[in-house]
Amino acid sequence: RLAAGVRVDVPPPPSWMPRTVEDPMVKAGILEESFVNSWALNMYHDGTEGIGSHYDDATRFMRPITSLRLYSDSRLAFGTYLYGGTNGLFAVPLPRGCVMVMESGTYAADGVKHSVRASDMSGKS
């Protein structure tokens, strides 16, 4: 089933995600309680993968967009085109354990595409 081009028949997140990720972020004051309305878990198994240039559109993703680096250091590249492999306007370093927040109305959240390039990962991410 689709709603606005997005699948709506997906299962809820595994129980470990709220317990291990969301609850500590709420306790630390990073997220408001009951804010999270969706999860995206991107696993780059060996650091040779990535995700192409894309927008996290406001239709599907409430703002702010919050990202947590779980396994390794990485960079988030902004202003990438096509597959985002070698170009971009700038990149933000994201050390392991880092929480990055893209606020509503900002250039990062709403004005430019972003990607995670394989060249910007140090390993499993």
Side-chain angles (χ1 to χ4, degrees):
R1 295 184 356 198
L2 296 177
V6 180
R7 286 188 60 179
V8 295
D9 59 340
V10 295
S15 62
W16 68 264
M17 289 176 81
R19 183 180 63 249
T20 307
V21 179
E22 182 180 0
D23 293 349
M25 292 174 75
V26 169
K27 287 178 185 163
I30 296 167
L31 295 176
E32 293 179 26
E33 193 166 349
S34 301
F35 171 78
V36 175
N37 70 338
S38 63
W39 290 85
L41 178 62
N42 299 323
M43 173 78 72
Y44 310 110
H45 296 95
D46 61 5
T48 62
E49 303 163 297
I51 187 167
S53 192
H54 66 282
Y55 289 106
D56 292 328
D57 64 273
T59 303
R60 295 185 291 164
F61 298 97
M62 281 177 45
R63 303 299 195 253
I65 298 167
T66 307
S67 177
L68 169 64
R69 301 295 317 149
L70 293 174
Y71 291 105
S72 69
D73 296 349
S74 180
R75 289 189 296 255
L76 186 63
F78 290 89
T80 54
Y81 301 96
L82 300 172
Y83 297 105
T86 59
N87 54 27
L89 300 174
F90 62 95
V92 175
L94 302 172
R96 181 176 183 232
C98 169
V99 175
M100 183 201 59
V101 178
M102 292 190 288
E103 297 284 352
S104 180
T106 62
Y107 184 66
D110 300 321
V112 66
K113 288 184 177 184
H114 58 273
S115 66
V116 177
R117 304 174 294 194
S119 61
D120 288 332
M121 289 186 279
S122 61
K124 178 180 178 179
S125 186

